[in-house]
């Protein structure tokens, strides 16, 4: 079974600074997708960024980018120029041939002035 | 607002009560999901419906009973729950039940069983 591990329960970053959230996963599949979801206090999960495992190029969405290391099974999220609105729970997720999203336990990100 | 609406937002129920959670999406999606989110635990997939047919039941106790009358609506019927069932219940939908399809989530129902 696939597992997703987020080893940082909480992180803090100052406004305008950069922060990296860690995620590792375990799978025997070669074809899969990885996601980062954001859950603000409103509780609605929102997709931040998606990475296809067959692509070597790291995905980027504006201030959000990933560092995808397939051999190491690592999928970290970098948030640049952090904003107050980035404060939320961030979940790393995996989906493979079973088409089921497997989530990590989440990292709570605080953004300070 | 991502197009997935859940009601009610909050629910407190006794262990002998019967209640239902409702999820509605008008995104034209064909797959709908129920997840359970407990504190400090990963989101747990409970049920998957694809084109109104249940395709996944992740060993969920029978006190949780899903219903999908059409592709736009999903219900979770609750009866004789236990206090450990208290959690945030999230509904999600996606275009298809495929691994590369983005899931859109509702705001969840915060359930407290007393």
């Amino acid at each position: 079974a696939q597992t997703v591990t987020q080893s940082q329960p909480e992180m803090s970053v100052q406004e305008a600074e950069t922060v990296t959230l860690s995620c590792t996963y375990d799978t025997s599949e070669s074809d899969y997708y990885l996601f980062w979801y954001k859950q603000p206090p409103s509780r609605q999960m929102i997709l931040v960024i998606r990475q296809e495992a067959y692509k070597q190029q790291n995905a980027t969405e504006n201030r959000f980018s990933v560092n995808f290391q397939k051999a190491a099974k690592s999928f970290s999220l970098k948030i640049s120029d952090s904003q107050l609105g980035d404060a939320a729970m961030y979940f790393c997720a995996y989906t493979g041939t079973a088409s089921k999203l497997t989530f990590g336990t989440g990292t709570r990100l605080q953004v300070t002035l | 607002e991502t197009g997935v609406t859940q009601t009610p937002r909050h629910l407190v129920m006794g262990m002998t009560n019967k209640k239902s959670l409702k999820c509605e999406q008008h995104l034209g999606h064909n797959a709908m999901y129920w997840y359970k989110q407990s504190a400090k635990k990963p989101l747990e997939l409970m049920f998957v419906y694809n084109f109104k047919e249940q395709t996944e039941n992740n060993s969920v106790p029978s006190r949780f009973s899903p219903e999908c009358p059409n592709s736009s609506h999903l219900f979770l019927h609750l009866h004789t729950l236990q206090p450990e069932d208290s959690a945030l219940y999230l509904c999600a939908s996606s275009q298809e039940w495929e691994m590369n399809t983005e899931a859109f989530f509702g705001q969840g129902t915060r359930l407290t069983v007393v």
Side-chain angles (χ1 to χ4, degrees):
Chain A
Q2 290 78 24
T3 59
V4 177
T5 303
Q6 293 179 251
S7 59
Q8 305 155 314
E10 291 189 12
M11 292 284 284
S12 182
V13 62
Q14 279 192 318
E15 200 177 14
E17 296 297 308
T18 296
V19 64
T20 298
L21 308 184
S22 301
C23 173
T24 58
Y25 59 95
D26 188 25
T27 183
S28 58
E29 297 178 317
S30 58
D31 191 17
Y32 52 87
Y33 286 76
L34 296 162
F35 306 84
W36 277 99
Y37 278 87
K38 170 185 177 181
Q39 187 180 38
S42 68
R43 307 185 319 208
Q44 198 155 37
M45 300 271 275
I46 302 165
L47 179 66
V48 174
I49 199 164
R50 166 175 41 207
Q51 175 78 43
E52 296 92 332
Y54 64 85
K55 287 188 177 179
Q56 291 188 332
Q57 186 173 8
N58 290 323
T60 298
E61 287 287 341
N62 301 314
R63 297 181 295 107
F64 299 88
S65 61
V66 299
N67 183 2
F68 174 48
Q69 301 290 326
K70 191 172 184 179
K73 296 179 182 174
S74 171
F75 182 60
S76 61
L77 175 69
K78 186 171 82 171
I79 306 175
S80 305
D81 186 25
S82 297
Q83 301 175 358
L84 293 177
D86 295 333
M89 282 289 288
Y90 286 82
F91 292 92
C92 179
Y94 167 104
T95 185
T97 54
S99 297
K100 293 191 298 185
L101 270 175
T102 300
F103 287 86
T105 51
T107 296
R108 182 173 302 280
L109 178 66
Q110 291 183 320
V111 181
T112 59
L113 295 171
Chain B
E1 179 61 51
T2 62
V4 179
T5 304
Q6 288 186 245
T7 55
R9 292 291 306 278
H10 301 272
L11 178 62
V12 180
M13 60 185 289
M15 289 190 283
T16 58
N17 290 158
K18 288 185 180 181
K19 296 287 183 183
S20 295
L21 310 185
K22 180 182 177 182
C23 177
E24 188 173 352
Q25 59 91 7
H26 295 288
L27 300 170
H29 290 170
N30 296 310
M32 296 187 77
Y33 313 78
W34 279 116
Y35 283 88
K36 176 183 179 181
Q37 185 177 16
S38 305
K40 299 183 181 179
K41 292 175 68 176
L43 269 75
E44 301 171 53
L45 178 63
M46 300 175 71
F47 301 104
V48 179
Y49 277 81
N50 197 37
F51 290 94
K52 299 186 298 180
E53 298 296 322
Q54 187 179 126
T55 54
E56 185 87 20
N57 177 338
N58 218 19
S59 303
V60 181
S62 60
R63 56 186 184 270
F64 294 91
S65 175
E67 179 189 0
C68 188
N70 54 62
S71 293
S72 299
H73 294 86
L74 184 65
F75 296 89
L76 187 62
H77 303 300
L78 316 171
H79 63 98
T80 59
L81 294 191
Q82 304 298 312
E84 59 264 29
D85 296 323
S86 299
L88 180 68
Y89 288 84
L90 292 168
C91 173
S93 71
S94 62
Q95 183 62 47
E96 304 287 347
W97 184 50
E98 292 180 359
M99 63 174 173
N100 63 336
T101 307
E102 177 184 353
F104 291 78
F105 286 80
Q107 291 180 294
T109 295
R110 173 72 65 191
L111 174 67
T112 303
V113 181
V114 296

